[in-house]
Amino acid sequence: FKQKTAYEIVDCDWSSDVCSSDLTNGALDNVEAISKGTVESGLVSGDVAFWASRGGGPFEGRGPVKKIATVASLYPEAVHLVVRRDSGIKRIQSLAGKRVSLGTERSAVPIVARAILRAYGVDGDGTKYVNEGPLRSAEMLSKSQIDAFFVIAGQIGRAHV
């Protein structure tokens, strides 16, 4: 039995109760796979699913994704902005001109991070951006290679950074 989901491809042998999976790059790839019909279901954050269903945000100009529907909300997620204690960064506006990691490309993190930065008037002002995941971003922050990074994490688990 093989089941494909956009978050992972699960190969299950029910006679031996063994399953294996392969992960995707993130929410945007998952929506793309659902819309193309290459998978039947996938894990996508609520904001990305909302934008996809309405053709907004990163889907603007493409029109609404017709083959997407919400099955369940699994858990809430919070957006975190991580900085060094000695950075002097106390507000979003303090990121202007800094080096910021927006999260892994094709995930929901850069989409949400850029929306937050735009809302605070920070986007496009000489701020330098990189796209790294939380572990690499934490390493870069500890070596002063970046000044801040965004991470989205659910409350059911800890962000291991």
Side-chain angles (χ1 to χ4, degrees):
F1 167 81
K2 282 194 177 194
Q3 176 186 349
K4 289 184 177 181
T5 69
Y7 182 69
E8 56 189 29
I9 298 171
V10 181
D11 186 3
C12 294
D13 177 356
W14 295 110
S15 64
S16 64
D17 294 327
V18 175
C19 294
S20 61
S21 65
D22 295 318
L23 300 178
T24 67
N25 290 324
L28 296 179
D29 287 350
N30 299 351
V31 169
E32 191 70 29
I34 292 167
S35 70
K36 288 181 177 177
T38 56
V39 298
E40 293 179 358
S41 64
L43 297 178
V44 178
S45 60
D47 46 5
V48 172
F50 174 82
W51 288 322
S53 70
R54 286 167 174 69
F59 304 96
E60 197 157 334
R62 290 182 40 180
V65 175
K66 301 289 185 192
K67 295 182 179 182
I68 194 165
T70 300
V71 174
S73 176
L74 301 179
Y75 53 86
E77 294 181 311
V79 179
H80 303 274
L81 176 61
V82 182
V83 300
R84 290 174 58 107
R85 187 175 303 215
D86 61 357
S87 70
I89 297 171
K90 304 284 186 209
R91 307 171 338 148
I92 302 284
Q93 295 88 334
S94 301
L95 294 175
K98 302 289 187 189
R99 302 162 298 172
V100 181
S101 177
L102 299 177
T104 308
E105 286 187 77
R106 308 290 299 161
S107 74
V109 181
I111 300 164
V112 173
R114 285 199 182 274
I116 291 168
L117 293 169
R118 275 193 305 276
Y120 283 89
V122 176
D123 205 27
D125 61 356
T127 305
K128 296 180 178 88
Y129 301 110
V130 298
N131 289 99
E132 298 290 348
L135 294 176
R136 176 72 179 122
S137 294
E139 179 183 325
M140 293 174 74
L141 185 68
S142 72
K143 294 178 179 179
S144 297
Q145 296 170 335
I146 59 173
D147 301 300
F149 69 93
F150 284 89
V151 64
I152 298 178
Q155 296 178 354
I156 63 166
R158 295 183 179 136
H160 297 284
V161 294

